[in-house]
């Protein structure tokens, strides 16, 4: 078993975990991994398709296993799906790790994602559902976070630098 990931990124859908994660990995000279990509590769279908065909509980079990594997074997920057922190076991696995919660408000979410229907949890009344999701999840993101970095009105490069500064990490 390898050491823990250098940095784990958490936050809502559309916050920029993938973009910032790749930039962080590049700046730190380490690999990048995204558990959503792991799930799509392993299942051979889109996450939205898993939600529709199997339901959220089945997806969350698949996600939990993907996160466990990635946390055990990836040493670089790891991005988790927006709902991964809903699982208590996953939150326990994140304890003591360098976890950055990338935050944004609903207006920023609208700008970035358009809150489109490709997001299975936001299919009806996206703004209200996004707010409800965040009301349910915000404290969980904060619970696992070593640092919180607001992304509103910032470029991916600015968010990356803020994450490096918050964790006091030196570039490679």
């Amino acid at each position: 078993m390898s050491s823990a990931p250098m940095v784990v990124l958490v936050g809502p859908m559309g916050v920029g975990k993938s973009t910032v994660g790749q930039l962080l990995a590049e700046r730190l000279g380490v690999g990048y991994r995204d558990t959503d990509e792991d799930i799509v590769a392993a299942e051979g279908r889109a996450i939205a398709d898993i939600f529709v065909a199997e339901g959220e509980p089945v997806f969350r079990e698949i996600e939990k296993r993907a996160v466990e594997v990635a946390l055990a074997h990836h040493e670089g920057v790891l991005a988790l799906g927006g709902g991964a922190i809903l699982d208590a076991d996953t939150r326990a696995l994140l304890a003591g790790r360098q976890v950055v919660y990338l935050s944004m408000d609903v207006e920023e979410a609208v700008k970035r994602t358009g809150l489109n229907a490709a997001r299975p949890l936001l299919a009806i009344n996206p703004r209200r559902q996004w707010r409800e999701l965040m009301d349910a999840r915000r404290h969980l993101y904060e619970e696992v976070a070593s640092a919180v970095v607001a992304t509103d009105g910032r470029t991916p490069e600015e968010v990356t630098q803020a994450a490096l500064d918050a964790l006091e990490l030196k570039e490679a």
Side-chain angles (χ1 to χ4, degrees):
M1 187 152 112
S2 65
S3 62
M6 186 177 282
V7 179
V8 179
L9 298 177
V10 299
M13 59 191 88
V15 77
K17 294 182 299 286
S18 297
T19 301
V20 170
Q22 290 168 3
L23 287 169
L24 264 176
E26 192 176 291
R27 302 244 323 247
L28 293 168
V30 297
Y32 169 75
R33 185 169 179 173
D34 181 323
T35 57
D36 280 352
E37 291 174 6
D38 290 351
I39 292 166
V40 170
E43 295 292 314
R45 55 191 169 151
I47 288 172
D49 294 340
I50 299 169
F51 263 85
V52 171
E54 313 291 336
E56 185 174 1
V58 169
F59 171 75
R60 294 295 173 208
E61 276 303 309
I62 294 167
E63 179 177 55
K64 178 180 177 174
R65 288 191 306 274
V67 170
E68 286 173 5
V69 168
L71 286 172
H73 300 288
H74 183 68
E75 296 179 353
V77 175
L78 177 64
L80 303 187
I85 47 77
L86 294 171
D87 183 79
D89 294 335
T90 296
R91 292 194 307 277
L93 288 174
L94 292 171
R97 298 179 190 264
Q98 296 264 54
V99 179
V100 176
Y101 162 32
L102 299 180
S103 68
M104 68 178 168
D105 67 20
V106 70
E107 296 311 317
E108 188 77 8
V110 169
K111 277 192 279 189
R112 290 190 192 182
T113 67
L115 293 180
N116 61 40
R119 308 283 187 172
L121 292 178
L122 301 177
I124 304 164
N125 196 341
R127 278 178 194 253
R128 190 185 80 225
Q129 287 183 293
W130 192 89
R131 281 192 185 99
E132 289 172 2
L133 276 176
M134 285 309 299
D135 288 346
R137 295 177 180 182
R138 186 174 292 107
H139 71 284
L140 300 175
Y141 291 132
E142 291 169 350
E143 175 187 319
V144 301
S146 314
V148 178
V149 175
T151 64
D152 304 271
R154 287 173 145 172
T155 67
E157 291 76 15
E158 290 168 333
V159 173
T160 300
Q161 187 60 55
L164 288 168
D165 293 345
L167 295 176
E168 299 179 355
L169 293 172
K170 302 290 181 233
E171 294 183 51

